[in-house]
PDB file of all heavy atoms in Angstrom:
ATOM      1  N   LEU A  28       0.862  -1.186   0.011  1.00  0.00           N
ATOM      2  CA  LEU A  28       0.009  -0.002   0.000  1.00  0.00           C
ATOM      3  C   LEU A  28       0.893   1.237  -0.008  1.00  0.00           C
ATOM      4  O   LEU A  28       1.869   1.286   0.750  1.00  0.00           O
ATOM      5  CB  LEU A  28      -0.915   0.012   1.222  1.00  0.00           C
ATOM      6  CG  LEU A  28      -1.848  -1.193   1.387  1.00  0.00           C
ATOM      7  CD1 LEU A  28      -2.598  -1.121   2.710  1.00  0.00           C
ATOM      8  CD2 LEU A  28      -2.820  -1.284   0.227  1.00  0.00           C
ATOM      9  N   GLY A  29       0.549   2.204  -0.828  1.00  0.00           N
ATOM     10  CA  GLY A  29       1.367   3.421  -0.917  1.00  0.00           C
ATOM     11  C   GLY A  29       0.777   4.393  -1.873  1.00  0.00           C
ATOM     12  O   GLY A  29      -0.280   4.179  -2.454  1.00  0.00           O
ATOM     13  N   PRO A  30       1.479   5.524  -2.095  1.00  0.00           N
ATOM     14  CA  PRO A  30       0.989   6.568  -3.004  1.00  0.00           C
ATOM     15  C   PRO A  30       0.858   6.068  -4.447  1.00  0.00           C
ATOM     16  O   PRO A  30       1.443   5.018  -4.792  1.00  0.00           O
ATOM     17  CB  PRO A  30       2.030   7.657  -2.896  1.00  0.00           C
ATOM     18  CG  PRO A  30       2.786   7.362  -1.628  1.00  0.00           C
ATOM     19  CD  PRO A  30       2.754   5.891  -1.481  1.00  0.00           C
ATOM     20  N   LYS A  31       0.149   6.819  -5.248  1.00  0.00           N
ATOM     21  CA  LYS A  31       0.024   6.456  -6.659  1.00  0.00           C
ATOM     22  C   LYS A  31       1.350   6.684  -7.387  1.00  0.00           C
ATOM     23  O   LYS A  31       2.181   7.479  -6.978  1.00  0.00           O
ATOM     24  CB  LYS A  31      -1.035   7.365  -7.343  1.00  0.00           C
ATOM     25  CG  LYS A  31      -2.441   7.168  -6.794  1.00  0.00           C
ATOM     26  CD  LYS A  31      -3.402   8.136  -7.504  1.00  0.00           C
ATOM     27  CE  LYS A  31      -4.821   7.941  -6.974  1.00  0.00           C
ATOM     28  NZ  LYS A  31      -5.767   8.889  -7.601  1.00  0.00           N
ATOM     29  N   GLY A  32       1.510   5.924  -8.488  1.00  0.00           N
ATOM     30  CA  GLY A  32       2.641   6.184  -9.387  1.00  0.00           C
ATOM     31  C   GLY A  32       3.963   5.558  -8.975  1.00  0.00           C
ATOM     32  O   GLY A  32       5.001   5.912  -9.526  1.00  0.00           O
ATOM     33  N   THR A  33       3.947   4.557  -8.074  1.00  0.00           N
ATOM     34  CA  THR A  33       5.194   3.936  -7.656  1.00  0.00           C
ATOM     35  C   THR A  33       5.433   2.593  -8.351  1.00  0.00           C
ATOM     36  O   THR A  33       6.361   1.864  -7.989  1.00  0.00           O
ATOM     37  CB  THR A  33       5.216   3.705  -6.118  1.00  0.00           C
ATOM     38  OG1 THR A  33       4.051   2.926  -5.740  1.00  0.00           O
ATOM     39  CG2 THR A  33       5.146   5.048  -5.397  1.00  0.00           C
ATOM     40  N   GLY A  34       4.635   2.273  -9.323  1.00  0.00           N
ATOM     41  CA  GLY A  34       4.840   1.044 -10.104  1.00  0.00           C
ATOM     42  C   GLY A  34       4.453  -0.244  -9.388  1.00  0.00           C
ATOM     43  O   GLY A  34       5.012  -1.304  -9.643  1.00  0.00           O
ATOM     44  N   LYS A  35       3.468  -0.165  -8.497  1.00  0.00           N
ATOM     45  CA  LYS A  35       3.080  -1.317  -7.685  1.00  0.00           C
ATOM     46  C   LYS A  35       2.599  -2.485  -8.528  1.00  0.00           C
ATOM     47  O   LYS A  35       2.875  -3.642  -8.226  1.00  0.00           O
ATOM     48  CB  LYS A  35       1.986  -0.932  -6.672  1.00  0.00           C
ATOM     49  CG  LYS A  35       2.465   0.010  -5.576  1.00  0.00           C
ATOM     50  CD  LYS A  35       1.400   0.286  -4.556  1.00  0.00           C
ATOM     51  CE  LYS A  35       0.268   1.178  -5.074  1.00  0.00           C
ATOM     52  NZ  LYS A  35       0.710   2.560  -5.348  1.00  0.00           N
ATOM     53  N   SER A  36       1.855  -2.204  -9.579  1.00  0.00           N
ATOM     54  CA  SER A  36       1.238  -3.284 -10.359  1.00  0.00           C
ATOM     55  C   SER A  36       1.994  -3.642 -11.632  1.00  0.00           C
ATOM     56  O   SER A  36       1.675  -4.636 -12.270  1.00  0.00           O
ATOM     57  CB  SER A  36      -0.197  -2.865 -10.747  1.00  0.00           C
ATOM     58  OG  SER A  36      -0.171  -1.698 -11.560  1.00  0.00           O
ATOM     59  N   HIS A  37       3.062  -2.910 -11.944  1.00  0.00           N
ATOM     60  CA  HIS A  37       3.792  -3.088 -13.204  1.00  0.00           C
ATOM     61  C   HIS A  37       4.313  -4.524 -13.345  1.00  0.00           C
ATOM     62  O   HIS A  37       4.097  -5.185 -14.360  1.00  0.00           O
ATOM     63  CB  HIS A  37       4.935  -2.106 -13.327  1.00  0.00           C
ATOM     64  CG  HIS A  37       5.938  -2.453 -14.421  1.00  0.00           C
ATOM     65  ND1 HIS A  37       5.654  -2.200 -15.727  1.00  0.00           N
ATOM     66  CD2 HIS A  37       7.142  -3.013 -14.390  1.00  0.00           C
ATOM     67  CE1 HIS A  37       6.665  -2.596 -16.468  1.00  0.00           C
ATOM     68  NE2 HIS A  37       7.600  -3.093 -15.673  1.00  0.00           N
ATOM     69  N   ILE A  38       4.976  -5.015 -12.298  1.00  0.00           N
ATOM     70  CA  ILE A  38       5.622  -6.350 -12.371  1.00  0.00           C
ATOM     71  C   ILE A  38       4.572  -7.423 -12.595  1.00  0.00           C
ATOM     72  O   ILE A  38       4.771  -8.391 -13.332  1.00  0.00           O
ATOM     73  CB  ILE A  38       6.435  -6.618 -11.107  1.00  0.00           C
ATOM     74  CG1 ILE A  38       7.790  -5.886 -11.204  1.00  0.00           C
ATOM     75  CG2 ILE A  38       6.639  -8.096 -10.868  1.00  0.00           C
ATOM     76  CD1 ILE A  38       8.676  -6.085 -10.043  1.00  0.00           C
ATOM     77  N   PHE A  39       3.409  -7.253 -11.961  1.00  0.00           N
ATOM     78  CA  PHE A  39       2.409  -8.327 -12.042  1.00  0.00           C
ATOM     79  C   PHE A  39       1.599  -8.277 -13.358  1.00  0.00           C
ATOM     80  O   PHE A  39       0.937  -9.258 -13.686  1.00  0.00           O
ATOM     81  CB  PHE A  39       1.475  -8.209 -10.821  1.00  0.00           C
ATOM     82  CG  PHE A  39       2.240  -8.161  -9.541  1.00  0.00           C
ATOM     83  CD1 PHE A  39       2.346  -7.009  -8.806  1.00  0.00           C
ATOM     84  CD2 PHE A  39       2.923  -9.279  -9.081  1.00  0.00           C
ATOM     85  CE1 PHE A  39       3.073  -6.945  -7.658  1.00  0.00           C
ATOM     86  CE2 PHE A  39       3.666  -9.233  -7.900  1.00  0.00           C
ATOM     87  CZ  PHE A  39       3.741  -8.087  -7.179  1.00  0.00           C
ATOM     88  N   SER A  40       1.678  -7.191 -14.084  1.00  0.00           N
ATOM     89  CA  SER A  40       0.949  -7.103 -15.357  1.00  0.00           C
ATOM     90  C   SER A  40       1.835  -7.371 -16.533  1.00  0.00           C
ATOM     91  O   SER A  40       1.379  -7.881 -17.561  1.00  0.00           O
ATOM     92  CB  SER A  40       0.294  -5.737 -15.501  1.00  0.00           C
ATOM     93  OG  SER A  40       1.282  -4.726 -15.596  1.00  0.00           O
ATOM     94  N   GLU A  41       3.124  -7.040 -16.429  1.00  0.00           N
ATOM     95  CA  GLU A  41       3.975  -7.104 -17.639  1.00  0.00           C
ATOM     96  C   GLU A  41       5.250  -7.911 -17.468  1.00  0.00           C
ATOM     97  O   GLU A  41       5.942  -8.197 -18.426  1.00  0.00           O
ATOM     98  CB  GLU A  41       4.363  -5.662 -18.037  1.00  0.00           C
ATOM     99  CG  GLU A  41       3.221  -4.755 -18.293  1.00  0.00           C
ATOM    100  CD  GLU A  41       3.453  -3.813 -19.460  1.00  0.00           C
ATOM    101  OE1 GLU A  41       4.617  -3.631 -19.810  1.00  0.00           O
ATOM    102  OE2 GLU A  41       2.484  -3.256 -19.964  1.00  0.00           O
ATOM    103  N   PHE A  42       5.602  -8.328 -16.264  1.00  0.00           N
ATOM    104  CA  PHE A  42       6.921  -8.955 -16.071  1.00  0.00           C
ATOM    105  C   PHE A  42       6.935 -10.413 -16.426  1.00  0.00           C
ATOM    106  O   PHE A  42       7.955 -10.932 -16.914  1.00  0.00           O
ATOM    107  CB  PHE A  42       7.346  -8.780 -14.605  1.00  0.00           C
ATOM    108  CG  PHE A  42       8.678  -9.406 -14.293  1.00  0.00           C
ATOM    109  CD1 PHE A  42       9.849  -8.769 -14.699  1.00  0.00           C
ATOM    110  CD2 PHE A  42       8.798 -10.618 -13.650  1.00  0.00           C
ATOM    111  CE1 PHE A  42      11.079  -9.326 -14.469  1.00  0.00           C
ATOM    112  CE2 PHE A  42      10.014 -11.209 -13.391  1.00  0.00           C
ATOM    113  CZ  PHE A  42      11.169 -10.552 -13.788  1.00  0.00           C
ATOM    114  N   SER A  43       5.830 -11.108 -16.203  1.00  0.00           N
ATOM    115  CA  SER A  43       5.867 -12.568 -16.364  1.00  0.00           C
ATOM    116  C   SER A  43       4.581 -13.086 -16.983  1.00  0.00           C
ATOM    117  O   SER A  43       3.495 -12.651 -16.623  1.00  0.00           O
ATOM    118  CB  SER A  43       6.075 -13.243 -14.995  1.00  0.00           C
ATOM    119  OG  SER A  43       5.908 -14.641 -15.090  1.00  0.00           O
ATOM    120  N   PRO A  44       4.705 -14.082 -17.866  1.00  0.00           N
ATOM    121  CA  PRO A  44       3.488 -14.734 -18.413  1.00  0.00           C
ATOM    122  C   PRO A  44       2.835 -15.654 -17.390  1.00  0.00           C
ATOM    123  O   PRO A  44       1.782 -16.243 -17.681  1.00  0.00           O
ATOM    124  CB  PRO A  44       4.025 -15.517 -19.610  1.00  0.00           C
ATOM    125  CG  PRO A  44       5.454 -15.778 -19.304  1.00  0.00           C
ATOM    126  CD  PRO A  44       5.934 -14.559 -18.508  1.00  0.00           C
ATOM    127  N   HIS A  45       3.419 -15.769 -16.211  1.00  0.00           N
ATOM    128  CA  HIS A  45       2.848 -16.649 -15.197  1.00  0.00           C
ATOM    129  C   HIS A  45       2.044 -15.871 -14.149  1.00  0.00           C
ATOM    130  O   HIS A  45       1.575 -16.486 -13.172  1.00  0.00           O
ATOM    131  CB  HIS A  45       3.966 -17.459 -14.470  1.00  0.00           C
ATOM    132  CG  HIS A  45       4.801 -18.264 -15.411  1.00  0.00           C
ATOM    133  ND1 HIS A  45       4.267 -19.240 -16.247  1.00  0.00           N
ATOM    134  CD2 HIS A  45       6.119 -18.231 -15.689  1.00  0.00           C
ATOM    135  CE1 HIS A  45       5.236 -19.758 -16.954  1.00  0.00           C
ATOM    136  NE2 HIS A  45       6.370 -19.178 -16.670  1.00  0.00           N
ATOM    137  N   GLY A  46       1.917 -14.581 -14.330  1.00  0.00           N
ATOM    138  CA  GLY A  46       1.175 -13.753 -13.374  1.00  0.00           C
ATOM    139  C   GLY A  46      -0.084 -13.183 -14.021  1.00  0.00           C
ATOM    140  O   GLY A  46      -0.132 -12.914 -15.223  1.00  0.00           O
ATOM    141  N   MET A  47      -1.104 -13.011 -13.202  1.00  0.00           N
ATOM    142  CA  MET A  47      -2.401 -12.474 -13.670  1.00  0.00           C
ATOM    143  C   MET A  47      -2.756 -11.257 -12.761  1.00  0.00           C
ATOM    144  O   MET A  47      -2.808 -11.402 -11.543  1.00  0.00           O
ATOM    145  CB  MET A  47      -3.482 -13.533 -13.574  1.00  0.00           C
ATOM    146  CG  MET A  47      -4.909 -13.019 -13.705  1.00  0.00           C
ATOM    147  SD  MET A  47      -5.261 -12.260 -15.311  1.00  0.00           S
ATOM    148  CE  MET A  47      -5.237 -13.665 -16.373  1.00  0.00           C
ATOM    149  N   LEU A  48      -2.949 -10.122 -13.393  1.00  0.00           N
ATOM    150  CA  LEU A  48      -3.353  -8.912 -12.645  1.00  0.00           C
ATOM    151  C   LEU A  48      -4.823  -8.659 -12.930  1.00  0.00           C
ATOM    152  O   LEU A  48      -5.253  -8.548 -14.078  1.00  0.00           O
ATOM    153  CB  LEU A  48      -2.520  -7.709 -13.075  1.00  0.00           C
ATOM    154  CG  LEU A  48      -2.870  -6.385 -12.410  1.00  0.00           C
ATOM    155  CD1 LEU A  48      -2.392  -6.421 -10.957  1.00  0.00           C
ATOM    156  CD2 LEU A  48      -2.209  -5.218 -13.126  1.00  0.00           C
ATOM    157  N   ILE A  49      -5.603  -8.573 -11.838  1.00  0.00           N
ATOM    158  CA  ILE A  49      -7.023  -8.296 -11.988  1.00  0.00           C
ATOM    159  C   ILE A  49      -7.428  -7.152 -11.072  1.00  0.00           C
ATOM    160  O   ILE A  49      -6.735  -6.894 -10.069  1.00  0.00           O
ATOM    161  CB  ILE A  49      -7.885  -9.558 -11.632  1.00  0.00           C
ATOM    162  CG1 ILE A  49      -7.546 -10.057 -10.225  1.00  0.00           C
ATOM    163  CG2 ILE A  49      -7.681 -10.649 -12.650  1.00  0.00           C
ATOM    164  CD1 ILE A  49      -8.362 -11.240  -9.778  1.00  0.00           C
ATOM    165  N   SER A  50      -8.465  -6.475 -11.397  1.00  0.00           N
ATOM    166  CA  SER A  50      -8.993  -5.406 -10.561  1.00  0.00           C
ATOM    167  C   SER A  50      -9.629  -6.013  -9.331  1.00  0.00           C
ATOM    168  O   SER A  50     -10.354  -7.002  -9.392  1.00  0.00           O
ATOM    169  CB  SER A  50     -10.022  -4.568 -11.316  1.00  0.00           C
ATOM    170  OG  SER A  50     -10.617  -3.643 -10.462  1.00  0.00           O
ATOM    171  N   GLY A  51      -9.298  -5.411  -8.168  1.00  0.00           N
ATOM    172  CA  GLY A  51      -9.790  -5.937  -6.888  1.00  0.00           C
ATOM    173  C   GLY A  51     -11.314  -6.005  -6.845  1.00  0.00           C
ATOM    174  O   GLY A  51     -11.858  -6.844  -6.121  1.00  0.00           O
ATOM    175  N   GLY A  52     -11.992  -5.131  -7.564  1.00  0.00           N
ATOM    176  CA  GLY A  52     -13.445  -5.126  -7.479  1.00  0.00           C
ATOM    177  C   GLY A  52     -14.115  -6.057  -8.478  1.00  0.00           C
ATOM    178  O   GLY A  52     -15.355  -6.162  -8.461  1.00  0.00           O
ATOM    179  N   GLU A  53     -13.329  -6.688  -9.345  1.00  0.00           N
ATOM    180  CA  GLU A  53     -13.937  -7.486 -10.398  1.00  0.00           C
ATOM    181  C   GLU A  53     -13.894  -8.995 -10.154  1.00  0.00           C
ATOM    182  O   GLU A  53     -14.332  -9.778 -10.962  1.00  0.00           O
ATOM    183  CB  GLU A  53     -13.231  -7.192 -11.755  1.00  0.00           C
ATOM    184  CG  GLU A  53     -13.433  -5.771 -12.247  1.00  0.00           C
ATOM    185  CD  GLU A  53     -12.689  -5.533 -13.538  1.00  0.00           C
ATOM    186  OE1 GLU A  53     -12.002  -6.453 -14.005  1.00  0.00           O
ATOM    187  OE2 GLU A  53     -12.827  -4.406 -14.073  1.00  0.00           O
ATOM    188  N   VAL A  54     -13.306  -9.398  -9.050  1.00  0.00           N
ATOM    189  CA  VAL A  54     -13.098 -10.836  -8.798  1.00  0.00           C
ATOM    190  C   VAL A  54     -14.306 -11.399  -8.016  1.00  0.00           C
ATOM    191  O   VAL A  54     -14.905 -10.753  -7.186  1.00  0.00           O
ATOM    192  CB  VAL A  54     -11.779 -11.078  -8.021  1.00  0.00           C
ATOM    193  CG1 VAL A  54     -11.879 -10.551  -6.605  1.00  0.00           C
ATOM    194  CG2 VAL A  54     -11.447 -12.547  -8.053  1.00  0.00           C
ATOM    195  N   THR A  55     -14.608 -12.650  -8.344  1.00  0.00           N
ATOM    196  CA  THR A  55     -15.661 -13.382  -7.628  1.00  0.00           C
ATOM    197  C   THR A  55     -15.081 -14.700  -7.195  1.00  0.00           C
ATOM    198  O   THR A  55     -14.047 -15.167  -7.694  1.00  0.00           O
ATOM    199  CB  THR A  55     -16.885 -13.630  -8.537  1.00  0.00           C
ATOM    200  OG1 THR A  55     -16.472 -14.433  -9.638  1.00  0.00           O
ATOM    201  CG2 THR A  55     -17.480 -12.328  -9.013  1.00  0.00           C
TER     202      THR A  55
END
């Protein structure tokens, strides 16, 4: 958790084909 713009989600969206990034409000 931290301020905007620190690249928190970058690694999980673009670094590896083994990771899946989803919006916290869209998961069931």
Side-chain angles (χ1 to χ4, degrees):
L28 301 175
K31 296 178 180 178
T33 56
K35 292 185 288 293
S36 60
H37 167 76
I38 280 180
F39 308 108
S40 64
E41 303 218 342
F42 181 76
S43 170
H45 303 301
M47 166 63 70
L48 180 71
I49 55 178
S50 173
E53 294 179 358
V54 69
T55 61

